[in-house]
Amino acid sequence: EVQLVESGGAVVRPGGSLRLSCAASGITFDEHGMSWVRQAPGKGLEWVSGIDWNGGTIGYADSVKGRFTISRDNAKNSLYLQMNSLRAEDTAFYYCARAVTSAMRDAYDIWGQGTMVTVSS
Amino acid sequence: DIQMTQSPSSLSASVGDRVTITCRASQGISNYLAWYQQKPGKVPKLLIYAASTLQSGVPSRFSGSGSGTDFTLTISSLQPEDVATYYCQKFNRDLGVTFGPGTKVDI
């Protein structure tokens, strides 16, 4: 079965850090770009960060630039998001999503179920 | 930065109705546009990419059109299972990735 499974979401205090993981199975992970997309409760979708198939091209939304770091390990079929200096406005469900092609900026055809990050004191 | 708008923000229609949702980009984006459906409590699902290409497995009542700045998603005959929020998304190496604000469709 083709699936992406996120983990690592938690409740964290402002200024804290978290590392999200996304494990892929049933897909050819290393041929596709990947992204993290978040959705605050009751709100719309926001692209957070993306990485192309081999990690050669990486991008971030302005709202997280300098605080979040995306990475991937193709040998482990895994995607990561290191989140530092967390703010209340980072509270959201975080989805990992597979790009249709090897690029990171693309349409996304497979989505994980999401992991919840809550930033609160 | 290129902004994406959608109209209407919400709509209510009857089963069997033809429904059209519009997405507009503040600058031309060629056909670098996708449409997603998100049902309540569920994960977004890709419906259409490259403005008009139907994703595998998506019912043929869904269709997309447009290029440049103006795009439409059409549901030819609305079904009860189509109740969802629909998002457009632009994507391109030079244009970045941005989702529209969404259109909520009810029966």
Side-chain angles (χ1 to χ4, degrees):
Chain A
E1 180 186 4
V2 173
Q3 62 177 357
L4 297 171
V5 179
E6 302 94 336
S7 61
V11 178
V12 62
R13 295 186 185 279
S17 297
L18 277 179
R19 189 192 196 210
L20 305 184
S21 299
C22 172
S25 60
I27 64 174
T28 310
F29 180 78
D30 60 1
E31 294 180 357
H32 293 265
M34 297 292 297
S35 280
W36 290 96
V37 177
R38 69 185 180 185
Q39 187 170 36
K43 302 298 183 181
L45 301 170
E46 179 188 14
W47 181 81
V48 173
S49 180
I51 186 167
D52 72 352
W53 69 281
N54 68 351
T57 302
I58 286 174
Y60 299 96
D62 288 343
S63 57
V64 306
K65 201 171 292 183
R67 301 187 297 123
F68 291 9
T69 302
I70 192 172
S71 61
R72 66 188 297 162
D73 184 338
N74 286 344
K76 295 183 178 180
N77 285 347
S78 292
L79 176 73
Y80 307 101
L81 186 68
Q82 177 66 42
M83 310 165 66
N84 298 330
S85 303
L86 283 162
R87 306 167 179 168
E89 54 265 36
D90 296 319
T91 294
F93 274 99
Y94 284 72
Y95 299 101
C96 68
R98 187 187 82 163
V100 172
T101 68
S102 60
M104 65 164 181
R105 296 184 179 95
D106 203 344
Y108 304 111
D109 61 349
I110 299 173
W111 295 63
Q113 290 301 307
T115 188
M116 184 67 195
V117 172
T118 302
V119 184
S120 174
S121 55
Chain B
D1 206 17
I2 298 176
Q3 303 302 313
M4 306 299 293
T5 58
Q6 287 183 235
S7 60
S9 57
S10 65
L11 67 90
S12 184
S14 299
V15 173
D17 282 355
R18 183 181 183 88
V19 170
T20 298
I21 298 169
T22 297
C23 176
R24 179 162 291 169
S26 58
Q27 299 177 37
I29 59 171
S30 183
N31 68 336
Y32 295 112
L33 188 101
W35 289 97
Y36 298 85
Q37 174 194 65
Q38 187 177 30
K39 296 182 179 182
K42 301 297 185 181
V43 172
K45 174 186 176 182
L46 178 64
L47 298 177
I48 288 167
Y49 64 95
S52 60
T53 301
L54 197 67
Q55 175 69 355
S56 176
V58 174
S60 59
R61 64 180 180 274
F62 291 93
S63 64
S65 65
S67 183
T69 59
D70 295 315
F71 302 86
T72 59
L73 172 69
T74 300
I75 308 173
S76 61
S77 177
L78 188 68
Q79 299 301 304
E81 60 267 31
D82 299 336
V83 169
T85 299
Y86 293 84
Y87 296 93
C88 63
Q89 175 221 350
K90 71 160 176 68
F91 58 91
N92 178 265
R93 182 186 65 184
D94 299 318
L95 303 175
V97 177
T98 306
F99 291 90
T103 295
K104 187 175 181 181
V105 174
D106 283 324
I107 297 285

